[in-house]
Amino acid sequence: MSTLRAVVRREIALALRQKGDVLTPLFFFMIVASLFPLAVGPESQLLTRMAPGVIWVGALLAAMLSLQRMFAPDHADGSLEQFTLSSTPLTLIVLGKVVAHFLLAGLPLAVMAPVLGLQYGLEARSLAILAVSLLLGTPVLSLVGGVGAALTLGVRGAGVLLSLLTLPLYIPVLIFGAGAVEADAAGLGIQGHLSLMAALLVLAVFFVPFAITAALRIALE
């Protein structure tokens, strides 16, 4: 755990040196979520119905903006090769990088989402469910996105390829996350949606770091 905390602190400290990389996804999320009410109009029922999908899609795209920097700086300066040669398991370092990405990208999005949901006329219960779904879903986005970032490491045009690889894998998280809010608004139970998202998170935490590690070793060969 001490090694994991050290990796997380290192990643956060390096990211805060370039605050633009941290703030850009948040501003993008805020702008995307705020433009839809201006384009659609003031019809409250329409805004309330489309709010979960719009906010979730905005959060998904915003989280993707910082994926490429998860491993690219360490690959460029040679730190990634040193990590693979060190006595510390590479899987543990990978997990620390994913946790740092969630703390810098996913957690702020989950905190901002209820505030942005107010402009869609969502009730307090819907805002709380939206925040919970994002707290469960954004770690999965970071983990799955880490696989794409590792596979495209050092590849020309990595940004476009990364989007093509990760977007199809994000679809289940998007469906269950937005569906939880919509199910509650329709008077249906939300336990199924949140339970499935929790199951996806548990599976991703256990298996995805090993997939990222294997992808990084392939990229370094």
Side-chain angles (χ1 to χ4, degrees):
M1 293 301 296
S2 60
T3 303
L4 183 63
R5 288 194 297 268
V7 174
V8 173
R9 286 197 301 266
R10 172 186 180 272
E11 295 299 317
I12 293 176
L14 291 175
L16 293 179
R17 292 180 183 178
Q18 298 179 342
K19 295 182 176 60
D21 294 335
V22 178
L23 296 177
T24 297
L26 302 182
F27 280 113
F28 175 82
F29 177 50
M30 182 175 62
I31 292 171
V32 168
S34 301
L35 285 178
F36 272 88
L38 298 177
V40 174
E43 186 179 349
S44 59
Q45 292 183 350
L46 178 60
L47 289 175
T48 302
R49 189 166 61 251
M50 66 185 294
V54 170
I55 293 177
W56 251 99
V57 169
L60 185 151
L61 296 176
M64 286 186 60
L65 291 178
S66 56
L67 283 178
Q68 196 171 353
R69 293 192 55 81
M70 190 180 293
F71 304 111
D74 291 329
H75 181 259
D77 63 14
S79 299
L80 196 57
E81 286 82 357
Q82 298 299 318
F83 291 152
T84 60
L85 297 175
S86 67
S87 58
T88 303
L90 183 58
T91 305
L92 188 62
I93 297 174
V94 164
L95 185 59
K97 285 179 171 291
V98 172
V99 171
H101 181 269
F102 164 71
L103 294 176
L104 292 169
L107 184 60
L109 295 177
V111 173
M112 289 177 60
V115 179
L116 296 174
L118 292 174
Q119 61 188 336
Y120 291 88
L122 292 177
E123 298 179 354
R125 177 178 171 84
S126 298
L127 294 174
I129 295 172
L130 179 63
V132 171
S133 67
L134 283 168
L135 285 174
L136 289 173
T138 47
V140 181
L141 300 182
S142 297
L143 285 161
V144 175
V147 178
L151 289 173
T152 58
L153 192 63
V155 177
R156 182 178 300 177
V160 177
L161 186 58
L162 176 60
S163 302
L164 294 175
L165 287 174
T166 55
L167 278 177
L169 301 176
Y170 282 170
I171 292 176
V173 182
L174 175 64
I175 292 174
F176 296 135
V181 184
E182 295 173 356
D184 181 73
L188 304 175
I190 63 172
Q191 291 82 5
H193 293 82
L194 296 183
S195 297
L196 286 170
M197 293 190 68
L200 287 175
L201 177 58
V202 171
L203 290 173
V205 168
F206 275 100
F207 295 108
V208 171
F210 297 100
I212 298 175
T213 302
L216 286 176
R217 294 188 185 279
I218 293 172
L220 293 174
E221 289 179 356

